[in-house]
Every structure is written in structure tokens, then in C-alpha cells.
Amino acid sequence: MKVLMVNGSSNLKGCTFTALTEVGMALEKQGIDYEIFQLGPRPIRDCIGCGKCHEGKCIFNDDDVNRFVEMAQEADGFIFGSPVYYAHPSGRLLSFLDRVFYCSTTAAKHPFNFKPAAAVVSARRGGTTASFDVINKYFTIAMMPIVASSYWNMVHGNSPDEVKQDAEGLQTMRNIGVNMAWMLKNIEAGKNSGIPMPEVERTQRTNFIR
């Protein structure tokens, strides 16, 4: 089994990466592989609501959205990480998530449904819980079980070295990894025992017309 992580920071080896790596080491101790998908400093387009993704993929091919959706098909769980900017996740991560999750609704096989997910945020000081809440909303509309930890999924520090001094934050990251592994193993055990995945109604769309 494999967990696909997203580093929503333009800093490839910064505080968010440090937090995700701590989760990853805990996953590996539980026998779960992981990969960190770096958004990096390249520009990421926002969704323009063109609807072209209903034909199979996002219209824009100059960034990594379509590639990530393909990779997501094979992943068993997800962790999306972001630095905190003005009490919200990075703009690049939000643009990425808007397009990734909207494209996924039209995929022949939904890459996210019923796969566990967690949000991780890093900040020098404040704005963490607001940012954490924003990312979690993507999971709840995609029927993804949310992986909890022993505290809010955050680390504090203005540099990777400072994050490494946040003993409670790093402990929280390790517990995310342990809990993610536990959830993945239970889902796999359920499948092996013949418990089917839920069948979900998708036909109703309420549109009020005056």
C-alpha cells in the first residue's frame, strides 16, 4: 500500500516538507510506502470553470494536475500539506485542489472516494486551524475518511530546524502516520473479508428556479 503526499509549498525542502517527512517515516515503520509530490515554485493555474474536464481531463496541461490525478488512481491514501499564508493554505495548493478534485468527479474511476486522507499545515505562529479546516473540506465532499491524530495536524517553526524542535508537532505527525496505516490495513482487511465498498447515490442535483 502507498500514501501519496502533496507538498503545497513552493519551498521544496521547507517546513511543510519536514512535517510530511516525519509522517512518512512513521508510515514506513508500519510497512506503508509513501511519495511526496512537490508542487514547487512553478505557477499553477486556477480553475476557470470551462467544463472541459467533463471530457476526461483538465484543459490545462502546463502543470501537474492531470499527472497527479493519474497517480492518485493507484494511491491508497493521501496527505495534503501546506504552509499557512494569512490564515489559509497556500494559493497554489488551493488552485491545485480545486482542479484536481473537480476533474476527479468526471473520471471513469474516482481516484479519491473511500480513501483515507489527512491535512497537515505548518506555520510560524498562527492561522493553522483555519487552514486545516479549509483542506479538510475537500475530503468531506469526496467521501474520504479523515485521519485524525493526537492533536491538530500542525507544526510550528519558521525554518525546518525550528520545526524539528517542535516535539509535540512532530509527535502529532508520527501519530498521523500510525493512524493512517491502521486505517489502510483495516480497509484492506475488510475487502479481503468480502465487505463491499458502499454504493453511493449520485443522481440528485437540486437547482432552485424562480
Side-chain angles (χ1 to χ4, degrees):
M1 290 180 283
K2 182 176 180 178
V3 173
L4 186 56
M5 304 188 190
V6 173
N7 180 7
S9 173
S10 58
N11 189 342
L12 299 179
K13 302 286 184 177
C15 298
T16 305
F17 177 83
T18 302
L20 293 175
T21 301
E22 194 74 12
V23 179
M25 290 189 293
L27 283 168
E28 286 186 329
K29 288 181 179 179
Q30 299 293 321
I32 307 294
D33 292 333
Y34 78 96
E35 178 179 352
I36 297 179
F37 188 94
Q38 300 273 20
L39 296 191
R42 298 184 305 278
I44 296 178
R45 294 175 181 265
D46 195 9
C47 178
I48 61 172
C50 67
K52 281 290 184 179
C53 59
H54 292 286
E55 298 175 9
K57 62 180 183 178
C58 182
I59 193 172
F60 298 123
N61 267 319
D62 52 355
D63 54 30
D64 288 328
V65 166
N66 287 324
R67 183 166 73 91
F68 180 82
V69 172
E70 291 178 5
M71 292 174 64
Q73 296 279 2
E74 304 304 319
D76 300 290
F78 300 89
I79 298 176
F80 296 91
S82 179
V84 172
Y85 296 155
Y86 292 95
H88 65 75
S90 70
R92 68 181 53 254
L93 180 66
L94 292 180
S95 293
F96 179 81
L97 291 177
D98 282 351
R99 288 170 54 208
V100 162
F101 275 81
Y102 198 61
C103 284
S104 298
T105 63
T106 63
K109 177 186 175 186
H110 200 294
F112 296 120
N113 284 178
F114 312 116
K115 295 180 181 180
V120 166
V121 294
S122 66
R124 183 191 66 82
R125 188 169 178 84
T128 48
T129 54
S131 303
F132 178 62
D133 181 61
V134 170
I135 301 173
N136 279 327
K137 286 184 169 65
Y138 290 91
F139 310 151
T140 58
I141 202 171
M143 297 184 290
M144 304 173 76
I146 294 177
V147 179
S149 188
S150 48
Y151 196 71
W152 308 120
N153 299 356
M154 62 183 71
V155 295
H156 288 88
N158 203 39
S159 68
D161 286 339
E162 290 183 2
V163 168
K164 291 173 184 177
Q165 297 176 51
D166 180 7
E168 185 175 7
L170 294 180
Q171 175 183 270
T172 303
M173 296 302 109
R174 292 192 295 272
N175 285 335
I176 295 170
V178 170
N179 291 344
M180 171 69 82
W182 176 82
M183 194 176 291
L184 288 173
K185 291 174 183 178
N186 274 277
I187 291 172
E188 185 68 16
K191 290 178 182 177
N192 293 337
S193 297
I195 300 174
M197 301 304 283
E199 300 229 351
V200 179
E201 294 185 31
R202 294 186 182 274
T203 55
Q204 302 299 322
R205 291 178 63 91
T206 299
N207 297 284
F208 294 105
I209 302 174
R210 294 183 181 179

